Amino acid sequence: MRAFSYERASSIEAAVTVAASNPDAKFIAGGTNLLDLMKLEIEAPTHLIDVNGLGLDRIEPTSEGGLRIGSLVRNTDLAADETVRRDYGLLSRALVAGASGQLRNKATTAGNLLQRTRCPYFYDPNQPCNKRQPGSGCSAIGGYTRQHAVVGTSDDCIATHPSDMAIAMRALDATIETVAADGRHRSIAIAEFHRLPGDTPHIDTVLQQGEFITAIVLPPPIGGKHIYRKVRDRASYAFALISIGAVIQPDGTGRIAVGGVAHKPWRVEGAEALLSNGARETARGILADARPTEQNRFKIDLVERTLGAVLAEARG
């Protein structure tokens, strides 16, 4: 790990001002992903800004009937919150499916959204990786690709987004609230927050330098049956081969977001109109533009079968 300086931010304004003036600065809260990347020198910030003392750890109702989740709310607290469990059960289930209890105790809501891919080539500094070192090439393309993306890929990157929580947030149409050093506030729909790799896979989100997440806002509850199903190689502490976050209404309509298949939480609203036709047609609509490899082609069938299980569970 390289040497770095450290400070505890006294206010949001102070934190974003420092971060905007130093391109090598990073915010740190739980640090469950950042510290691992620093140890491997994949991330090498020269300055860390500790934001834990900024009071952004509350879960509060909004005037519209939704829920505002502070960016520093810990995953454990969010999953256990009474309102979340009652009205946004998909989110609670997705959180519990991720990581371990110890990590959930430290990991924050914003940090979960911002975590980086677990592609093994990204984590190996000896291998070329466009996400780690732009322009160096992608070792996954032509390499071992069982865990990799099948849709939304590019010729520069086929990595997947690792978050379980983000899949639920995508199905629930969350909005991310941010503030920049000039005082500008933004509300970013989660559908637009994460980027596809294109020719700049090292840029994961639409955040600008120094822009800071203050909260994630959920719209009013939509009811229905909330289901999160995660398929992985072992029963715990493993990232998804594929996952499905679903909210299914009594009339059979619903929302479907898929994890483990793309560089971002994957949802195709147009395909949701096919739910009444069954899992096969819906899955085909969700993955219409898939470009699998021989090693991960099984994910196409796995999405269909898992979606079938989700719809069967929703029907009781």
Side-chain angles (χ1 to χ4, degrees), residues 21 33 49 87 105 123 143 153 164-165 169 187 215 242 262 296 314:
S21 65
N33 188 205
I49 306 164
D87 296 335
N105 287 344
Y123 269 78
T153 58
D164 292 288
M165 184 196 78
M169 292 289 195
S187 292
I242 72 104
N296 65 19

Side-chain angles (χ1 to χ4, degrees), residues 1-16:
M1 185 183 289
R2 300 181 186 181
F4 58 89
S5 54
Y6 167 90
E7 69 173 286
R8 292 180 179 174
S10 58
S11 67
I12 296 173
E13 294 76 14
V16 295

Side-chain angles (χ1 to χ4, degrees), residues 31 35 64 77 91 213 246 258 290:
L35 291 177
E64 295 80 13
D77 296 330
L91 177 56
I213 298 174
V258 184

Side-chain angles (χ1 to χ4, degrees), residues 9 13 18 39 84 164 186 202 221 225 236 292 301:
E13 294 76 14
V18 172
K39 291 173 184 177
V84 173
D164 292 288
R186 284 207 290 170
H202 60 291
K225 184 88 169 182
S236 65
D301 292 332

Side-chain angles (χ1 to χ4, degrees), residues 99-298:
S100 65
Q102 294 91 334
L103 287 172
R104 292 194 297 270
N105 287 344
K106 292 293 292 182
T108 62
T109 305
N112 193 310
L113 289 176
L114 294 172
Q115 63 182 301
R116 308 206 69 189
T117 184
R118 284 348 190 254
C119 172
Y121 298 105
F122 173 72
Y123 269 78
D124 184 353
N126 296 310
Q127 300 288 335
C129 173
N130 289 320
K131 182 175 279 293
R132 180 173 13 89
Q133 186 177 356
S136 63
C138 177
S139 298
I141 297 176
Y144 182 69
T145 58
R146 183 172 182 271
Q147 297 278 353
H148 287 78
V150 298
V151 67
T153 58
S154 74
D155 293 336
D156 290 306
C157 183
I158 58 172
T160 58
H161 192 274
S163 172
D164 292 288
M165 184 196 78
I167 305 305
M169 292 289 195
R170 179 67 182 91
L172 295 169
D173 281 333
T175 300
I176 293 93
E177 295 184 343
T178 71
V179 62
D182 60 4
R184 179 174 51 95
H185 291 258
R186 284 207 290 170
S187 292
I188 308 167
I190 193 169
E192 308 299 327
F193 183 74
H194 296 101
R195 299 175 70 257
L196 291 178
D199 57 3
T200 55
H202 60 291
I203 305 175
D204 290 330
T205 72
V206 299
L207 292 179
Q208 303 298 313
Q209 176 64 37
E211 193 170 8
F212 179 69
I213 298 174
T214 56
I216 292 84
V217 178
L218 297 176
I222 58 173
K225 184 88 169 182
H226 289 226
I227 300 169
Y228 188 74
R229 192 169 281 245
K230 181 177 182 178
V231 182
R232 44 191 164 179
D233 283 328
R234 59 180 186 269
S236 65
Y237 205 64
F239 294 97
L241 289 169
I242 72 104
S243 62
I244 290 181
V247 180
I248 307 297
Q249 302 297 338
D251 63 1
T253 61
R255 301 179 183 181
I256 303 293
V258 184
V261 297
H263 199 258
K264 62 186 288 185
W266 194 254
R267 182 179 171 199
V268 180
E269 283 89 339
E272 294 168 357
L274 301 172
L275 279 168
S276 60
N277 297 336
R280 175 169 294 182
E281 286 196 36
T282 307
R284 286 176 177 174
I286 292 170
L287 301 176
D289 298 320
R291 295 168 54 191
T293 69
E294 286 302 316
Q295 294 172 1
N296 65 19
R297 189 175 301 278
F298 73 93

